[in-house]
Amino acid sequence: MKVESPLTFRTTLPELEGYFRPKSLDEALSLLSELGERAKIYAGGTDLLIDMRLRNIGNKVVVDIKEINELRGIREEGDSIFIGATTTIHEIKTSSLIASRLPLLKQVVERFADQFIRTRATVGGNLCNASPAADTPLALLIYGSEVEIASVAGRKRVPIKDFFKGVKRTILAPGELVTGVRVPVPQGRQRVKYLRFDRSSEDLMIVGIAGAVFEGREPGDFEFSLSYGAVAPTPLLFKGLQDAYKRGGADEVLKIVKEKVSPISDVRASKEYRMHLVEVGTRLIIKELLGGV
Amino acid sequence: MQEEKYLYIRKPIPRRDIDKLTGEAQFIADIEIPGALWMKLVGSPYPHARILEIDTSEAEKVPGVEAVLTGKDFPFKIGHHIRDRDVLARDRALYVGHPVAAVIAETLEAAEKAAELVRVKYEPLPYVLDPLEAMKPDAPLLHPNLGEYEHLPFLYPVPGTNIAHKFKLRKGSIKDGEREADVVVEEEYRLPMLHHSYLEPWGAAARVRSDGTIEIWTSSQGPFAVRTQLAHSLHIPESRIVVHYLYVGGGFGAKSDLFLEYLPVLASMKLNGRPVKLILNREESFYYGFHRAEYIFRMKTGARKSDGKIVFHKGEYIYGTGHAADLGSLLGNTIGWLATGPYDIPNVWIDSYTVYTNKPTTTAFRNYTHTELWFAFEQQMDILAERLGMDPVEFRLRNLIKPGASTLPTGQQISEDWGDPEGVLKRAAELIEWGKEPEQPREPWKRRAKAIVMAPKGPSMPPNITTSAIVKMNEDGSVDLLTGVAEIGQGTLNSLAMMVAEELQIPLEKVRVYGIDRDTSNTPYDWETCASRATFAIGQAVLKAVDDLKQQIKQLASQILRVDPSSIEIRDGKAVVKGEPWKALKLEEVAMGYTFPDGHAIHGQLIGRGSWVPRRTTGLDEEGRGHPLEFVTYSAQAVEIEVDILSGRIDILKAVAVADTPFINKILALGQAYGGALMGINVALREEIKFDENGKILNPGFTDYKIARAGDIPKSIIVEFLSTKLLHDAPYGAKGIGEVFLGGWPAAIANALYRAIGVRIKRAPLSPERVVEEIKKQKPDLLENIVKKLGGE
């Protein structure tokens, strides 16, 4: 005999314990510091509202950061581009600055969900939600970006490769807020390619693979990087693959990659199919980016 | 020909019912009934379990909760075709999600909160999810009392098993066929359970009025079907039930019969008639709703080398109906008599089974078993053609039924005026440029190929279902049309208005068609919007009603104009004496009868009426003999696909659909054609309800139940309507087109895949993952060679 919690499916959103819409970063940071773990940050809401309806998160205090001007926008600052946390995916997709300087990020956001979601979803939300299948980290990792984090204690920059801790987990502590991401602009020529495998033209990824070749000063001198989504608890980055490629081509690169990818089987795809896509996708990207080198 | 004389028929006339654009359209969620309570269901977490105890005490303490109902409150079974459903699970829960309790509260929030506090003690029992397993003698039984269930006469349950209905069809002798066959193909095909993916989740509200009338608002394709089936299930006279018409956000078959309307009705009865509302969300639509069944087709088909004729077909067709067969039994029946598709086969032996499993239950799905059967049969045809060394189009042409000469395996004669199956196939072959090899893409890992299939549709409906129409004249000479048709998005109201305007030769604006401001007590009867029959059947009733009205106009005008009624014609909004156009009466002068100059009046308001009932169909006997079909819309479909061997992804480059029927409204007809094609292609490539090993649904929402998006629409869809023959009693020759375009896409795509890379997939959907899996199984070298080439070797 077993007593079971019943199967029920919520239609309604939970009652909130509180809702704040700070107008400045300082106001937001002091609120977050005061609320601690009770706070839930609300930007685009494309993940938050679903989690709330499904009661994946309890009754929290919602801090809506959409009206904080300094968190929004795309700016060139020296050798890098700063993208504010509440900048929407649509804004990134339509930015000429991104298109000309960070073409891999442009390719990645073009395949991001659908137009409805792109209009709402923000780059900060995409990072903080820390889904293994998130799109924007794949480009941001390859560009060597830094996540800018603020709290009442001050500001810091963290390399994005150190930002993700696991499925839906980041290094953020209570009271901390991502204010944006700083992306260094490659100084030489870049060749980039994003391959995204999915079940329909507007879908979550089954496997995402981004690749870039950054050319150096000397002829024949280049840096080759790959990043992978939905094949491990966090997005994966492989930098400096050019030596392996020169040594043994795609086979050698795949040897390195396969040591770290560990896809799971779920409703979207089996582990075996994801491994197959890693294999053929990596070869396709290498053919496209380095086929002529 | 005759066509040019029409004012409206066949023209691309935009819809006039634009309530959805203006926001005036009312769906169930918009209906506000003062004092209404909300219902929330509590589902079983087990696929099969004995319910030992239900503790509702904590739930009842939640403020706002009025009642918590359980199976004990309703100690009877319901069902129309076979009485096999509990209102709420009583002794045993039969699938994950089976509602075991219903909370009723002042607000949805309170109902949800209380639902989570209902505590149920279960004893888990052995369960069976696969229909083939469920047919084995030692399988756990879902319905041990099956033999005692009341059911309609043409259903044959097998007590002591999980077989809710067994249908048999026998024609000729399989032994004779086997002796003659040079080539025999024996295969098994499978299709998964599907969600109908209607945009609007189902919902209903009900109350019992103080005079005993049961009033229902529901998102339904058939308000009268709801009334009939509810009346029968609950032993209530039909006239005591009033069902209101609402806008319906898509049905595709799921909302064609009684859904869960009985829950708010019975709850309202328990609560002194207070209105109760039950509106499902998407997850609940997956768990509590009705789905397309899973199918297994086992086929053995033989053909002769000398002339390419099929000499026998033996089939075991299995319909996995889930935990209830009230509606599924009819579909299990239809795959049986549909048996051999549009082909003339002398020896046929079919057993079709409707089989219970511990899963959600099933119902009609657009194209009512045809798409599923074609998936199996049309692959069988291509395999046979290949083994015979024949072109698949030529092979089909040799075996197609011959109108006027062939009979269905049930013995029904193929009527000549149903159209020309050969002509349809040949036209589709022309449009896809059959015989011309597709140009192959530059990438060596992509291949293209074409395929072509037959995919006719004959509506499956009871032989005695009826419909009727009333046209009444208004003082200003305009006309109101009253019918029982449910508008579920298809636009039939527009087509019917066009017919009235055409017949009376009046402006379309002068015909008002009652849409949703109707209920079953103030509108003529109609069975339901399904089986591609609304325009066909109701159209005939409307034409009869208009004819009746015209006779009355002529009769009245003849008295006033002092001529014989036969010398009066109706045109330009007037009754005119033929050859003497100066002798005429405007319709507004006779609408309410005619008033003479001295004030004396005759006749009163003119009201025409008409009704229709199928005239060709009968029931089927125990051996499957009889006349199941009113008509067939012949159709052929062709595709050109491109498969990416590396990822397994299939793209449809070109889709061709040819149907042998004229239409009423070109815009609406094309809407059905494109919509049907997109849905059929998506069913082929993406759709599947996935269950875990405990019967829990893994994808109860559109995040993981994939529907095609804009970027997935084929680059080229070519639709052509032929009019080889006009079915004489169909309105303007127009047969049904609501389903035929869902057609044979899954079969066409599977055949094209085989022609592209030699990999045969007998299991739907043809998802990229499945394609790669099958390439690895059937053609591992193909993949390995391409991977090698990528390395530059």
Side-chain angles (χ1 to χ4, degrees):
Chain A
M1 183 200 74
K2 289 189 180 175
V3 183
E4 277 286 335
S5 299
L7 203 63
T8 62
F9 309 94
R10 294 276 195 163
T11 302
T12 62
L13 289 172
E15 270 180 49
L16 297 178
E17 286 173 11
Y19 176 85
F20 296 95
R21 188 185 277 183
K23 295 270 193 283
S24 73
L25 183 58
D26 287 343
E27 193 189 337
L29 294 177
S30 57
L31 256 173
L32 292 175
S33 153
E34 195 183 308
L35 292 163
E37 290 189 349
R38 287 171 60 220
K40 201 72 202 170
I41 296 162
Y42 172 33
T46 55
D47 291 306
L48 181 69
L49 292 177
I50 293 167
D51 281 338
M52 284 169 73
R53 180 173 77 83
L54 298 177
R55 303 304 192 271
N56 292 339
I57 54 172
N59 297 11
K60 295 265 184 173
V61 180
V62 167
V63 179
D64 180 345
I65 58 169
K66 282 196 291 291
E67 293 206 348
I68 303 172
N69 282 333
E70 57 189 298
L71 295 185
R72 187 157 196 151
I74 302 166
R75 307 186 275 283
E76 196 159 20
E77 292 180 358
D79 287 343
S80 59
I81 289 175
F82 176 81
I83 307 171
T86 60
T87 308
T88 66
I89 303 302
H90 175 74
E91 286 162 345
I92 297 172
K93 181 172 174 263
T94 51
S95 155
S96 55
L97 194 58
I98 299 290
S100 62
R101 304 294 165 85
L102 304 172
L104 183 60
L105 182 58
K106 162 94 173 165
Q107 277 193 25
V108 162
V109 292
E110 276 178 342
R111 298 298 312 279
F112 189 110
D114 61 27
Q115 187 58 44
F116 302 103
I117 301 286
R118 286 194 294 267
T119 309
R120 295 286 307 183
T122 65
V123 65
N126 197 229
L127 297 179
C128 294
N129 188 52
S131 161
D135 287 270
T136 60
L138 298 186
L140 297 174
L141 277 164
I142 283 187
Y143 284 122
S145 314
E146 290 178 312
V147 181
E148 299 203 352
I149 298 168
S151 70
V152 286
R155 297 185 176 216
K156 60 181 175 183
R157 288 184 191 175
V158 176
I160 189 168
K161 67 181 171 52
D162 302 328
F163 182 74
F164 303 106
K165 283 282 150 202
V167 177
K168 301 250 172 185
R169 286 194 300 124
T170 67
I171 57 159
L172 284 182
E176 287 185 330
L177 176 70
V178 169
T179 56
V181 60
R182 188 167 300 279
V183 194
V185 176
Q187 293 310 298
R189 280 160 49 99
Q190 46 177 319
R191 292 198 303 281
V192 300
K193 177 75 181 173
Y194 184 46
L195 264 187
R196 193 184 197 268
F197 298 97
D198 37 32
R199 298 161 297 176
S200 72
S201 59
E202 293 165 339
D203 188 17
L204 296 162
M205 68 172 74
I206 299 298
V207 168
I209 311 176
V213 171
F214 298 136
E215 288 183 11
R217 295 224 170 88
E218 307 299 319
D221 176 24
F222 68 93
E223 190 194 6
F224 173 46
S225 307
L226 289 169
S227 62
Y228 293 80
V231 295
T234 65
L236 291 182
L237 171 67
F238 298 89
K239 248 183 130 54
L241 291 169
Q242 62 279 2
D243 297 336
Y245 174 75
K246 284 172 187 165
R247 215 165 43 238
D251 289 344
E252 203 59 28
V253 171
L254 272 164
K255 241 185 239 169
I256 296 171
V257 168
K258 282 181 177 172
E259 263 174 43
K260 279 176 84 181
V261 298
S262 56
I264 55 161
S265 288
D266 62 15
V267 66
R268 284 162 210 157
S270 69
K271 178 184 169 155
E272 291 72 26
Y273 183 56
R274 285 197 167 101
M275 280 307 288
H276 170 81
L277 292 177
V278 165
E279 165 105 31
V280 298
T282 303
R283 290 184 189 277
L284 278 171
I285 284 202
I286 289 174
K287 184 182 167 66
E288 167 122 4
L289 294 181
L290 296 166
V293 172
Chain B
M1 47 181 246
Q2 294 271 304
E3 303 290 295
E4 275 151 37
K5 71 175 188 194
Y6 292 132
L7 269 179
Y8 303 109
I9 302 300
R10 318 259 194 264
K11 302 279 193 307
I13 295 174
R15 298 179 72 137
R16 292 171 64 231
D17 52 340
I18 56 165
D19 290 7
K20 286 182 202 166
L21 292 180
T22 60
E24 287 160 287
Q26 289 221 306
F27 296 86
I28 180 65
D30 300 314
I31 298 296
E32 289 198 11
I33 308 163
L37 299 168
W38 287 87
M39 177 183 279
K40 190 79 183 175
L41 298 174
V42 178
S44 161
Y46 292 105
H48 193 190
R50 196 173 305 286
I51 300 165
L52 300 174
E53 192 189 318
I54 302 181
D55 178 2
T56 61
S57 55
E58 287 302 308
E60 280 161 15
K61 284 180 198 158
V62 173
V65 170
E66 284 286 322
V68 182
L69 303 173
T70 69
K72 281 193 182 137
D73 292 296
F74 310 106
F76 51 87
K77 288 212 185 275
I78 60 158
H80 181 68
H81 307 93
I82 178 161
R83 203 175 278 272
D84 65 357
R85 282 196 262 173
D86 281 339
V87 173
L88 294 165
R90 279 186 288 162
D91 306 324
R92 286 174 300 126
L94 296 179
Y95 74 100
V96 175
H98 201 166
V100 296
V103 176
I104 295 140
E106 295 285 349
T107 63
L108 183 55
E109 286 78 2
E112 285 188 344
K113 197 172 168 193
E116 288 176 2
L117 297 173
V118 173
R119 287 288 168 268
V120 187
K121 282 186 195 167
Y122 294 99
E123 179 195 336
L125 297 171
Y127 57 93
V128 60
L129 301 175
D130 180 78
L132 292 177
E133 293 295 319
M135 288 174 75
K136 291 183 176 164
D138 56 346
L141 286 187
L142 277 88
H143 296 274
N145 302 326
L146 179 58
E148 292 158 27
Y149 291 173
E150 187 191 316
H151 60 79
L152 294 186
F154 54 87
L155 295 179
Y156 305 98
V158 185
T161 74
N162 286 316
I163 298 165
H165 171 52
K166 181 178 177 183
F167 173 87
K168 285 191 293 187
L169 183 73
R170 305 286 185 263
K171 178 190 173 190
S173 152
I174 292 296
K175 277 201 177 138
D176 291 353
E178 280 176 335
R179 265 197 301 275
E180 280 186 62
D182 301 307
V183 171
V184 174
V185 170
E186 192 166 3
E187 297 287 358
E188 183 177 303
Y189 305 87
R190 244 181 196 266
L191 299 104
M193 219 177 241
L194 300 185
H195 182 55
H196 295 71
S197 306
Y198 34 78
L199 193 58
E200 180 206 17
W202 175 89
R207 74 173 161 206
V208 186
R209 302 192 73 105
S210 46
D211 68 354
T213 303
I214 296 165
E215 217 177 348
I216 300 169
W217 293 260
T218 176
S219 175
S220 176
Q221 294 173 235
F224 277 98
V226 169
R227 187 175 82 154
T228 308
Q229 295 178 17
L230 195 68
H232 180 218
S233 281
L234 300 179
H235 304 291
I236 297 169
E238 281 85 351
S239 60
R240 243 188 82 193
I241 302 170
V242 172
V243 184
H244 293 271
Y245 282 72
L246 294 170
Y247 270 98
V248 178
F252 308 108
K255 302 171 182 173
S256 61
D257 290 86
L258 185 63
F259 207 98
L260 302 177
E261 286 86 354
Y262 52 85
L263 282 169
V265 166
L266 289 166
S268 179
M269 286 174 162
K270 291 263 177 207
L271 292 163
N272 298 319
R274 274 193 76 176
V276 177
K277 222 175 182 179
L278 172 63
I279 295 179
L280 304 185
N281 60 34
R282 187 60 64 184
E283 290 89 349
E284 290 172 325
S285 303
F286 273 84
Y287 275 100
Y288 308 144
F290 295 70
H291 301 300
R292 186 195 83 176
E294 56 194 317
Y295 290 81
I296 298 147
F297 293 99
R298 289 168 158 172
M299 295 181 165
K300 191 176 173 189
T301 316
R304 238 179 355 227
K305 274 215 158 120
S306 56
D307 55 359
K309 285 268 190 200
I310 303 172
V311 288
F312 79 92
H313 177 74
K314 187 172 179 185
E316 201 176 52
Y317 297 174
I318 293 146
Y319 176 98
T321 188
H323 75 279
D326 185 22
L327 305 165
S329 52
L330 303 187
L331 289 116
N333 206 58
T334 299
I335 41 171
W337 60 254
L338 204 58
T340 55
Y343 303 105
D344 199 351
I345 303 176
N347 304 299
V348 181
W349 191 100
I350 302 288
D351 281 343
S352 81
Y353 299 91
T354 302
V355 178
Y356 289 118
T357 59
N358 293 106
K359 283 184 174 170
T361 189
T362 64
T363 188
F365 185 91
R366 192 177 191 181
N367 217 21
Y368 211 81
T369 76
H370 290 58
T371 297
E372 297 79 10
L373 182 57
W374 302 159
F375 178 68
F377 210 95
E378 287 295 294
Q379 289 204 67
Q380 194 81 345
M381 294 297 282
D382 262 35
I383 299 172
L384 271 170
E386 193 195 18
R387 300 260 171 94
L388 288 169
M390 277 182 83
D391 174 84
V393 172
E394 174 59 27
F395 177 62
R396 283 176 174 81
L397 286 171
R398 290 196 186 189
N399 286 288
L400 278 177
I401 45 176
K402 302 270 180 290
S406 306
T407 55
L408 289 176
T410 67
Q412 181 172 9
Q413 175 100 28
I414 305 298
S415 180
E416 253 180 292
D417 61 3
W418 287 351
D420 175 14
E422 265 189 45
V424 161
L425 181 57
K426 285 179 177 164
R427 184 62 188 141
E430 278 170 27
L431 290 170
I432 198 76
E433 297 179 277
W434 189 250
K436 186 180 156 197
E437 282 303 308
E439 200 179 312
Q440 293 299 334
R442 271 185 311 136
E443 301 95 324
W445 59 89
K446 291 183 177 175
R447 298 277 169 80
R448 293 179 184 174
K450 299 171 185 177
I452 188 163
V453 299
M454 286 299 290
K457 167 71 168 125
S460 179
M461 49 190 170
N464 62 345
I465 53 108
T466 181
T467 191
S468 45
I470 293 171
V471 279
K472 56 189 181 74
M473 297 226 62
N474 295 313
E475 297 90 322
D476 56 5
S478 68
V479 175
D480 287 345
L481 172 63
L482 269 165
T483 71
V485 65
E487 165 57 44
I488 61 168
Q490 81 282 31
T492 301
L493 297 172
N494 295 266
S495 303
L496 298 177
M498 285 165 66
M499 293 181 198
V500 175
E502 186 71 51
E503 291 303 309
L504 292 174
Q505 304 274 297
I506 56 175
L508 203 47
E509 302 75 53
K510 287 207 148 188
V511 183
R512 177 176 151 75
V513 185
Y514 279 82
I516 59 160
D517 36 358
R518 293 174 292 163
D519 65 50
T520 50
S521 72
N522 62 22
T523 196
Y525 179 87
D526 179 57
W527 177 48
E528 57 188 65
T529 297
C530 70
S532 305
R533 65 175 279 286
T535 299
F536 171 79
I538 301 166
Q540 291 185 55
V542 167
L543 290 181
K544 284 182 186 166
V546 176
D547 198 50
D548 183 26
L549 179 68
K550 281 163 84 172
Q551 294 311 320
Q552 294 178 40
I553 295 169
K554 287 179 184 175
Q555 193 67 45
L556 178 57
S558 74
Q559 292 176 41
I560 299 149
L561 300 172
R562 299 179 192 194
V563 292
D564 191 79
S566 63
S567 58
I568 289 180
E569 60 181 353
I570 295 163
R571 57 179 164 89
D572 305 327
K574 291 178 197 148
V576 186
V577 179
K578 288 178 198 164
E580 298 174 82
W582 57 90
K583 286 190 187 169
L585 286 165
K586 290 180 181 164
L587 289 183
E588 50 262 47
E589 291 180 84
V590 294
M592 293 289 133
Y594 183 75
T595 305
F596 289 97
D598 66 356
H600 173 67
I602 53 169
H603 198 296
Q605 187 181 14
L606 302 186
I607 298 176
R609 68 198 164 109
S611 55
W612 174 86
V613 73
R615 55 182 199 88
R616 298 173 182 84
T617 52
T618 68
L620 301 182
D621 71 12
E622 256 186 90
E623 296 266 290
R625 283 177 299 250
H627 296 192
L629 284 174
E630 185 65 9
F631 65 83
V632 173
T633 307
Y634 295 114
S635 170
Q637 284 143 21
V639 289
E640 181 178 336
I641 68 158
E642 179 176 283
V643 56
D644 178 335
I645 296 164
L646 291 176
S647 69
R649 180 189 160 112
I650 295 172
D651 281 312
I652 312 301
L653 304 179
K654 191 171 175 184
V656 167
V658 178
D660 191 3
T661 179
F663 48 76
I664 302 295
N665 181 320
K666 190 173 182 182
I667 294 176
L668 295 175
L670 285 173
Q672 288 295 328
Y674 294 138
L678 293 181
M679 190 171 178
I681 289 168
N682 199 59
V683 161
L685 298 179
R686 296 188 183 84
E687 292 187 48
E688 173 172 20
I689 300 180
K690 295 186 175 179
F691 294 88
D692 72 7
E693 67 279 8
N694 299 314
K696 188 169 184 288
I697 297 175
L698 294 167
N699 54 347
F702 293 138
T703 305
D704 289 313
Y705 186 93
K706 297 318 292 182
I707 300 299
R709 308 298 293 255
D712 302 308
I713 296 173
K715 289 174 190 77
S716 162
I717 305 178
I718 299 165
V719 173
E720 202 166 287
F721 293 90
L722 305 181
S723 301
T724 61
K725 294 266 173 13
L726 289 188
L727 182 58
H728 75 273
D729 53 355
Y732 310 95
K735 289 170 287 188
I737 52 163
E739 300 170 281
V740 70
F741 290 102
L742 194 73
W745 303 108
I749 292 167
N751 283 341
L753 181 74
Y754 180 81
R755 293 172 68 83
I757 57 171
V759 171
R760 170 70 58 193
I761 299 191
K762 291 171 282 186
R763 197 173 179 142
L766 280 73
S767 63
E769 177 161 3
R770 176 159 290 142
V771 171
V772 166
E773 242 174 57
E774 291 294 330
I775 292 173
K776 284 183 172 175
K777 258 190 242 162
Q778 299 179 32
K779 288 260 167 148
D781 297 355
L782 178 69
L783 192 58
E784 281 158 25
N785 290 337
I786 283 167
V787 170
K788 264 185 211 156
K789 270 191 207 159
L790 277 184
E793 286 159 41

